[in-house]
Amino acid sequence: MSDQRPTLRWLADPQVSPAGDRVAYVERSLDHAADAVASRVGVVATGGGPTIWLGEGEAPRWSPDGSRLAVCRAGELWVLDAASGAGRPLHGATAAEPTWSPDGTRLAYTRVVLVESPDGSRVDALPGLYLRHRQVEVVGHNGRPLWTSENGYGPRWSPDGTRLGFLTTRFGPRPDLCWVDAAGSGPVTRVTDGAGPVRGFAWSPDGRRLAYLSHRHGDAGDVNLRLWLADVGGGPPVDLTASWTLGLGNPVRGDDPRGAGEAPVAWSTATGRIYVEVAAGGRGPLAWFAPTTGTDGLVFDGEHACLAPSVGGGRLAFVRTDAANAGDVHVVDELDGRSRALTDANPEAVRRALPTTALPVRTADGVTIDAWLTVSPGDYARPLLVNVHGGPHSAVGWRFTAEVQRLAARGYAVLTLNPRGSQGYGEAFATAIRGDWGGRDWSDIQAAVDVAAQLSTVAPERIAIWGVSYGGFMTQWAVAHSDRFAAAVSENGISDFVASWGTGAADLSSWDLPMGGTPWSSPRFVERSPLMHADRISTPLLLVHAEHDQVCPVAQSEQMYAALRALGRDVELVRIPGEGHLMNLHGRPSSRARRAAAIDRFLERHLRPDVR
């Protein structure tokens, strides 16, 4: 069955010009001929009009006078004319995250030092998994290197150009916020103390303070990131979110990489507001904080998700996406609140998108969780696909997910949900599964399936469960503890927590909170490993795993495959070469196609969808 969905374009990283009259942004799409994710930089006027395309690139950043853009192109740092796109490479190092000095004479950027994988192949197609070192480098307008840091990334100039802030792991395993004088000759001043990771930061308009996102709970992934304010002259930081229940910098997720990296922090000169991303249930408004008045709130709250805020010239730009739209660039006049969409990137895809409706679920212990059903029109019964998101401390909801739309178009009803452990509902909700993976979260999933199975659009005897990463673990756990599913698909999942502890890219303590201790102190490592319950699995299971996955190594799926083969069960294993853990976000088009074809064949064999 061929899929004639239109080519999708994902818009990202909108950057308002200093005068507020234009927005530069990135458009990404799948280039099947090159077997790569293609990206190009566009510029559009904030008053509206056509986009001027400047060619290939990522991470566009405006020069202070608005005449040029620094971009990262084919791994190099380039400077482009903002009107024509004419330009030249400025420096040949592998570059990311460029930023101009306030006087326009220097550029700081993150110099990425890549290594080779064990088989000798380059691994720059696997973002974040094989990086061994990052440095902040400063170059002059002629490209001549001026200085390079020992360790660091994400540089930001102070407004007066005398300091350069950056993140670093030179002091410990967690990113710290630091600054150094602009010449790079003075000592590194450490702003944070390593009590928790720093995910993003911004200078105050007067250059005297730094706002940053962090928490003080070590490597815990289930606690809220908070917004802190620190004086560059020293002193204890101030928590601007002491009364907040929602975590910041962790937006509603889809199946593209937007929102999965460093969290943007945008501090407006015009209003004094600090803008950051937030998940509020399945919605994705922007949170704002005004340090001078002590006020805060949410803006653009609705059935959508707002990503990557940036400010300039009294205007705020961001990408807004919803369940039917992969996203467009929006701009807001900060003083009068008027907003407008500047792009229309996917008109045909939006027109053909299938509707998503909310499906509130009441759990057995009285907690209400959010769920959503995406299904084609028509009152007839379809197979149900239950999708469990990754993390588990992420959130899904009113954001476009291409795979949900693709599978719904193939004749399935697709159920997505935020069981306990998800962000967006307060810290108590997110931490409820500490030491209890496969407990309350599994009960919540069962409750959602019970509600969906009562719908006239769902065939209750044809239900499958599917998920990636943590969702892959939960898929295996579900079929080991229930026979209601007709099929299951686990992607890059975990089957054995004992074997996973201390291996791959994981820190030694990565599993201690989820499993409630260490392998020698907590029985959960064995009890909650699906492999230990393989003899109870009778549901046909498809295991899909990327061979270069260092977060959940491919051996995790190989073990479960071997166990089920020995037991004589219906199991398949598809290995995807040359890809890492986040293949669904960063993978090559050919790898995505191979994965989709395997899943489609498996589901059609076991669920028999009826496309009308």
Side-chain angles (χ1 to χ4, degrees):
M1 184 186 303
S2 64
D3 187 3
Q4 301 298 320
R5 309 300 289 175
T7 299
L8 282 170
R9 296 171 175 85
W10 293 271
L11 305 190
D13 202 9
Q15 296 293 314
V16 187
S17 65
D21 59 337
R22 290 161 294 167
V23 176
Y25 65 95
V26 174
E27 178 196 88
R28 301 187 185 118
S29 60
L30 299 184
D31 184 340
H32 294 275
D35 198 22
V37 179
S39 62
R40 59 176 179 168
V41 173
V43 173
V44 62
T46 53
T51 293
I52 299 171
W53 295 107
L54 305 184
E56 176 190 355
E58 288 273 355
R61 295 298 183 268
W62 291 96
S63 63
D65 64 2
S67 66
R68 295 166 292 169
L69 282 165
V71 303
C72 299
R73 175 180 287 179
E76 295 182 330
L77 181 63
W78 282 61
V79 174
L80 308 179
D81 180 86
S84 68
R88 60 186 175 89
L90 191 68
H91 201 56
T94 304
E97 305 170 317
T99 179
W100 293 84
S101 64
D103 62 5
T105 64
R106 293 156 294 167
L107 275 159
Y109 69 97
T110 300
R111 180 187 177 114
V112 183
V113 181
L114 296 172
V115 297
E116 291 186 343
S117 63
D119 63 3
S121 62
R122 284 183 61 81
V123 296
D124 41 334
L126 309 176
L129 295 182
Y130 290 85
L131 300 182
R132 289 295 181 266
H133 197 55
R134 289 180 285 184
Q135 302 168 311
V136 171
E137 184 158 276
V138 177
V139 296
H141 63 87
N142 58 0
R144 182 173 63 89
L146 301 177
W147 61 270
T148 304
S149 73
E150 170 192 338
N151 173 303
Y153 61 97
R156 304 282 188 276
W157 296 91
S158 64
D160 63 2
T162 62
R163 298 181 177 97
L164 190 67
F166 60 95
L167 302 179
T168 181
T169 54
R170 68 174 65 193
F171 301 110
R174 304 180 194 104
D176 271 309
L177 174 58
C178 302
W179 64 264
V180 68
D181 70 76
S185 57
V188 173
T189 299
R190 188 179 181 186
V191 178
T192 55
D193 61 4
V198 180
R199 286 272 321 278
F201 73 96
W203 290 92
S204 64
D206 62 8
R208 297 168 55 188
R209 294 167 293 173
L210 285 158
Y212 61 93
L213 292 171
S214 184
H215 64 64
R216 301 187 60 78
H217 299 276
D219 298 314
D222 54 4
V223 297
N224 290 344
L225 286 172
R226 313 186 76 85
L227 184 66
W228 302 81
L229 198 62
D231 193 301
V232 295
V238 176
D239 182 2
L240 297 180
T241 53
S243 62
W244 275 63
T245 60
L246 299 177
L248 306 175
N250 196 358
V252 173
R253 300 294 175 89
D255 58 355
D256 63 83
R258 296 173 298 180
E262 297 306 311
V265 179
W267 199 329
S268 170
T269 300
T271 62
R273 285 184 171 186
I274 304 170
Y275 297 95
V276 292
E277 300 165 330
V278 66
R283 309 182 315 281
L286 293 177
W288 64 268
F289 301 86
T292 55
T293 62
T295 54
D296 53 56
L298 298 175
V299 289
F300 317 118
D301 196 3
E303 294 180 348
H304 54 246
C306 301
L307 306 171
S310 76
V311 290
R315 290 192 168 96
L316 166 70
F318 55 90
V319 172
R320 196 181 91 171
T321 170
D322 57 43
N325 188 346
D328 282 300
V329 174
H330 288 244
V331 68
V332 179
D333 295 312
E334 284 195 273
L335 298 180
D336 63 23
R338 289 184 298 176
S339 65
R340 65 187 71 88
L342 301 183
T343 62
D344 186 14
N346 295 287
E348 180 64 12
V350 171
R351 184 183 68 80
R352 297 179 62 175
L354 298 176
T356 295
T357 56
L359 191 70
V361 173
R362 188 79 167 172
T363 67
D365 58 349
V367 174
T368 298
I369 64 169
D370 287 337
W372 297 266
L373 193 72
T374 303
V375 64
S376 58
D379 190 14
Y380 62 94
R382 305 155 177 80
L384 178 70
L385 299 184
V386 182
N387 179 231
V388 184
H389 67 64
H393 311 300
S394 301
V396 297
W398 298 109
R399 174 171 168 177
F400 188 83
T401 302
E403 186 70 347
V404 168
Q405 286 286 329
R406 189 186 77 82
L407 290 168
R410 296 183 69 85
Y412 303 100
V414 183
L415 178 70
T416 56
L417 69 156
N418 285 329
R420 269 170 283 194
S422 304
Q423 281 282 359
Y425 302 88
E427 203 164 279
F429 193 94
T431 59
I433 61 170
R434 278 191 181 182
D436 193 34
W437 282 25
R440 291 179 180 177
D441 45 359
W442 168 226
S443 296
D444 292 351
I445 292 166
Q446 292 179 86
V449 174
D450 289 341
V451 172
Q454 301 301 314
L455 301 175
S456 60
T457 53
V458 169
E461 76 284 359
R462 290 187 291 165
I463 300 176
I465 186 167
W466 136 66
V468 181
S469 190
Y470 161 82
F473 151 77
M474 183 53 71
T475 295
Q476 296 181 37
W477 182 260
V479 295
H481 291 80
S482 173
D483 59 3
R484 76 182 303 173
F485 300 104
V489 179
S490 169
E491 299 187 61
N492 290 1
I494 287 286
S495 66
D496 183 355
F497 289 109
V498 176
S500 181
W501 189 88
T503 64
D507 295 326
L508 289 180
S509 61
S510 294
W511 294 116
D512 293 0
L513 274 179
M515 293 296 108
T518 58
W520 53 89
S521 67
S522 172
R524 297 294 198 194
F525 277 87
V526 174
E527 293 172 358
R528 297 304 167 98
S529 292
L531 183 66
M532 305 307 159
H533 308 280
D535 60 322
R536 299 168 58 179
I537 296 177
S538 59
T539 302
L541 176 63
L542 171 64
L543 298 158
V544 180
H545 220 112
E547 290 185 347
H548 285 179
D549 190 341
Q550 288 192 328
V551 177
C552 302
V554 66
Q556 291 288 319
S557 285
E558 291 174 332
Q559 284 182 288
M560 179 58 78
Y561 176 73
L564 294 179
R565 287 272 294 177
L567 291 164
R569 307 296 158 77
D570 187 344
V571 61
E572 299 178 34
L573 172 61
V574 174
R575 297 165 58 110
I576 308 294
E579 300 291 354
H581 186 63
L582 299 180
M583 177 179 64
N584 58 327
L585 304 187
H586 303 287
R588 295 185 293 270
S590 61
S591 299
R592 300 181 192 220
R594 181 181 178 187
R595 168 206 165 274
I599 291 174
D600 290 346
R601 286 194 300 269
F602 181 81
L603 293 178
E604 287 170 10
R605 178 158 65 92
H606 293 287
L607 297 185
R608 306 178 308 282
D610 176 16
V611 179
R612 301 190 184 186

